[in-house]
Amino acid sequence: MSRRCVVLIGMMGAGKTEVGTLLAEELGYEYLDTDEVVSERAGKSIPKIFAEDGEKVFRELEAEAVRDLVGRRSLVVATGGGAPVDPENARILRALGTVVYLKASAIELYQRIKNDKGRPLLQVENPKGEMAKLLALREPVYKDVADFMMDTEELSVDEVVAELIDELARRTIETQGDE
Ligand code: S3P
């Protein structure tokens, strides 16, 4: 592998954290989660930031966490679902290395996280509908920002990681062939 970063993007429930943690282990890379950075810096949980300071402050902290990644190597980065929507975040994430969109349907995403109270954007009357709405808005951005996408709908975390490693290796070999 080229030691450039691997950046995971996609909706809440896409598996970025679990896949990212395992992928980092397998590649011998460091794992970094932008939500964790934001939460550590703010000294409070993501739901608390949203409740006490609002989404705008959260997005500013998120952008700061992304900016701090510039120049890093050998990292697997799990991003918050909204991070790539900001064009400057997207530009920085793309410059870091390979960006992968972990894809699943709105129904599957909802099933995976419906009992999790840690997603402030889904604490609404119709979380299922909100998930579908957000996915429809964001999917074109995810596709545009990502180098490739992986459909995780029917795959376990282990299977996603194994497929990712294969695909990343294939792309590294192809890139070396181009040099
Ligand atoms: C958000 C996703 C969350 C977190 C915040 C906002 C979003 O991260 O950043 O609640 O805008 O989709 P996960 O994608 O890790 O759940």
Side-chain angles (χ1 to χ4, degrees):
M1 286 300 163
S2 64
R3 318 303 295 173
R4 296 190 77 216
C5 300
V6 180
V7 179
L8 304 177
I9 64 170
M11 289 289 288
M12 299 168 267
K16 294 163 294 184
T17 302
E18 277 179 288
V19 168
T21 306
L22 190 58
L23 180 66
E25 236 176 81
E26 295 284 328
L27 296 176
Y29 282 16
E30 195 184 323
Y31 170 75
L32 187 142
D33 186 323
T34 58
D35 280 345
E36 263 173 37
V37 174
V38 167
S39 179
E40 263 167 35
R41 287 201 185 147
K44 48 185 145 181
S45 68
I46 305 287
K48 220 162 178 200
I49 300 171
F50 270 75
E52 293 177 1
D53 312 305
E55 182 172 353
K56 188 162 177 283
V57 168
F58 170 77
R59 294 297 170 201
E60 283 163 11
L61 291 168
E62 184 175 59
E64 195 181 298
V66 171
R67 276 198 301 276
D68 287 352
L69 294 173
V70 172
R72 300 285 303 268
R73 289 175 80 80
S74 306
L75 272 186
V76 173
V77 182
T79 57
V85 174
D86 175 85
E88 179 60 8
N89 288 350
R91 190 190 65 73
I92 292 170
L93 295 172
R94 280 193 57 77
L96 281 173
T98 307
V99 181
V100 185
Y101 168 31
L102 296 183
K103 180 184 161 66
S105 67
I107 294 168
E108 171 68 17
L109 292 166
Y110 176 72
Q111 288 302 329
R112 290 182 192 171
I113 63 164
K114 64 181 176 194
N115 297 321
D116 185 346
K117 296 277 171 271
R119 265 67 178 222
L121 291 181
L122 296 181
Q123 304 311 306
V124 294
E125 210 173 299
N126 176 10
K128 213 177 195 171
E130 187 63 21
M131 180 66 102
K133 196 178 91 186
L134 277 175
L135 177 63
L137 276 174
R138 289 176 176 177
E139 185 149 70
V141 179
Y142 293 151
K143 286 183 175 167
D144 191 46
V145 173
D147 293 286
F148 66 95
M149 106 184 149
M150 182 153 296
D151 194 338
T152 70
E153 187 89 8
E154 314 243 329
L155 301 181
S156 68
V157 170
D158 286 355
E159 287 168 334
V160 173
V161 171
E163 284 202 18
L164 271 177
I165 288 173
D166 282 354
E167 183 60 25
L168 290 166
R170 202 177 63 70
R171 283 168 180 265
T172 306
I173 292 162
E174 273 177 11
T175 315
Q176 283 165 351
D178 291 345
E179 277 166 4

